[in-house]
Amino acid sequence: YYTVIAIVSFLFQNVWEAVKVVQLGLHVLSVLIVFLYARNLTKSRYAGLAAAFALGFAFYRYHTNFYLGRLNMGPTFVIFPLQLYLVDRFITAKDGRRIGVALAFVSAAGFSAHAVYGGFGGLFAALYAGVRVLVQSTVLNAPGKKISALAQLALWFGMGVLASLFYTLPAFIE
């Protein structure tokens, strides 16, 4: 997060303007990702628009980011819905390797952005993945397919944790 702010601050001479631009970009990305996730989940563009509209104008996000000063929560609002979207795409994909690699990178980015927020986001996304695999009966109709999908998702989430150890391991050791 702070690396992105440092890069953007080269374009703007004021670091606070760079923070505002990055926060605006994260907000727009999170609204777009929630639209994609809700549209993919419900197969309805209108449901996706309603979910994106509701999240885009939620007061809680502005309250935590700007009034409480938790600016580093900004990437969490992008990464967590993206993890959920990728889990759903992985379940319905015929060959989920590309989506699995994307899930690993997104999980690693979540941990690298903030160890606690990324950790809880990864934990909730893994729980969501387990529930979706066990409940999703139209695509994964055989027990062997469900176990295989759970093992593959655990592998990709684990790869994300391993990829972010350079940042999270010192925090976990303390």
Side-chain angles (χ1 to χ4, degrees):
Y1 172 72
Y2 295 110
T3 307
V4 174
I5 289 175
I7 293 169
V8 172
S9 68
F10 283 121
L11 299 173
F12 302 96
Q13 297 304 317
N14 188 350
V15 70
W16 298 113
E17 294 295 324
V19 169
K20 291 176 187 175
V21 167
V22 169
Q23 287 291 333
L24 178 66
L26 289 172
H27 179 71
V28 170
L29 272 175
S30 70
V31 168
L32 289 173
I33 290 170
V34 165
F35 168 75
L36 287 174
Y37 170 62
R39 188 187 68 180
N40 185 53
L41 189 65
T42 62
K43 308 293 187 243
S44 167
R45 249 186 305 154
Y46 296 118
L49 284 172
F53 186 83
L55 183 77
F57 291 104
F59 177 73
Y60 170 75
R61 297 180 57 163
Y62 303 110
H63 177 72
T64 56
N65 284 358
F66 297 111
Y67 294 126
L68 296 180
R70 295 183 182 152
L71 297 175
N72 54 359
M73 272 189 81
T76 305
F77 292 122
V78 175
I79 292 168
F80 184 60
L82 186 56
Q83 284 177 321
L84 301 180
Y85 173 70
L86 289 172
V87 164
D88 281 342
R89 291 291 308 265
F90 180 84
I91 291 171
T92 58
K94 292 183 188 220
D95 182 24
R97 281 183 279 180
R98 285 182 32 209
I99 298 170
V101 169
L103 181 61
F105 278 120
V106 168
S107 298
F111 276 115
S112 298
H114 196 280
V116 176
Y117 300 142
F120 280 116
L123 176 68
F124 292 140
L127 288 173
Y128 174 79
V131 169
R132 288 290 288 166
V133 166
L134 294 176
V135 172
Q136 184 87 8
S137 62
T138 58
V139 178
L140 304 170
N141 49 10
K145 287 184 179 180
K146 290 183 180 189
I147 291 171
S148 174
L150 284 173
Q152 289 176 20
L153 282 167
L155 171 79
W156 294 120
F157 277 119
M159 295 302 282
V161 170
L162 289 176
S164 66
L165 278 181
F166 72 93
Y167 178 73
T168 57
L169 190 60
F172 290 142
I173 290 175
E174 279 185 7

